[in-house]
Amino acid sequence: MNNWNFQELKETPSQTGGPYVHIGLLPQQANIEVFENNFNNQLVQDQTKGERIRLEGQVFDGLGLPLRDVLIEIWQADANGIYPSQADTREQKADPAFQGWGRTGADFETGVWSFNTIKPGATAGRKGSTQAPHIALVIFARGINLGLHTRVYFEDEAEENGEVVYRFDIRIQGDDETVFFDI
């Protein structure tokens, strides 16, 4: 039998994602082919219902410099506000041509990331309430111990070359720090 006194054991240091997080989670971006089906930033197909949008932005550190080795994931409802998940127990079924989840890394040169998706519909909230259309977003990067969670809401629309583009820049620290959720 082990005679360890667990009160004597100290917590081990926390670890961040490291500078090579994209190799493990987005190897194709690092020109490494290991997965048969790579995760990417394309959430739509030709048959997907809803308004096509591109969500793009940059992640900035406390000095205002863009992070270029950041990983972004999004999760969202379809155009009718239904999540493609068994956890969404409403009678309506999610659009089978919509993925609802995507992952991408920032461009190594510019730090710009983007997703090709649809504008989500309003989703069901607690106790019969309705939540505004939104996209849940999580950020992983070196120096961040846990993913940073936030939401994108839709205030303005701007067209760029006939395409609806929403810009969502994220600030990790500073006066204009993005609001993050403790999940």
Side-chain angles (χ1 to χ4, degrees), residues 20-149:
Y20 304 108
V21 67
H22 60 277
I23 292 174
L25 298 175
L26 285 168
Q28 190 176 37
Q29 187 173 343
N31 295 318
I32 301 170
E33 294 293 333
V34 294
F35 297 127
E36 184 175 326
N37 296 313
N38 283 291
F39 301 112
N40 61 42
N41 65 344
Q42 305 294 323
L43 281 70
V44 295
Q45 305 172 28
D46 289 342
Q47 306 87 347
T48 304
K49 297 176 182 80
E51 177 187 1
R52 302 303 199 263
I53 65 170
R54 186 173 79 234
L55 177 63
E56 67 179 20
Q58 290 176 290
V59 179
F60 297 95
D61 67 13
L63 297 174
L65 301 172
L67 299 180
R68 294 184 304 263
D69 61 348
V70 65
L71 176 88
I72 307 285
E73 291 181 357
I74 64 171
W75 174 251
Q76 71 173 89
D78 66 14
N80 293 318
I82 307 296
Y83 287 99
S85 167
Q86 294 175 349
D88 195 325
T89 58
R90 291 176 283 171
E91 305 240 347
Q92 285 183 285
K93 296 297 178 200
D95 181 350
F98 180 65
Q99 186 169 313
W101 181 85
R103 174 186 286 169
T104 193
D107 180 271
F108 293 145
E109 297 294 320
T110 65
V112 174
W113 54 267
S114 69
F115 290 94
N116 294 315
T117 185
I118 57 167
K119 190 172 184 181
T123 59
R126 294 181 180 169
K127 298 180 183 177
S129 66
T130 302
Q131 295 185 56
H134 64 275
I135 296 176
L137 188 144
V138 63
I139 304 147
F140 300 98
R142 75 183 136 99
I144 299 174
N145 291 341
L146 301 172
L148 299 174
H149 297 260

Side-chain angles (χ1 to χ4, degrees), residues 156-176:
D156 299 309
E157 294 185 21
E159 283 205 13
E160 186 176 300
N161 299 326
E163 182 179 35
V164 178
V165 177
Y166 289 95
R167 178 82 185 190
F168 186 70
D169 289 333
I170 300 160
R171 302 197 187 301
I172 302 295
Q173 296 175 320
D175 293 337
D176 296 327

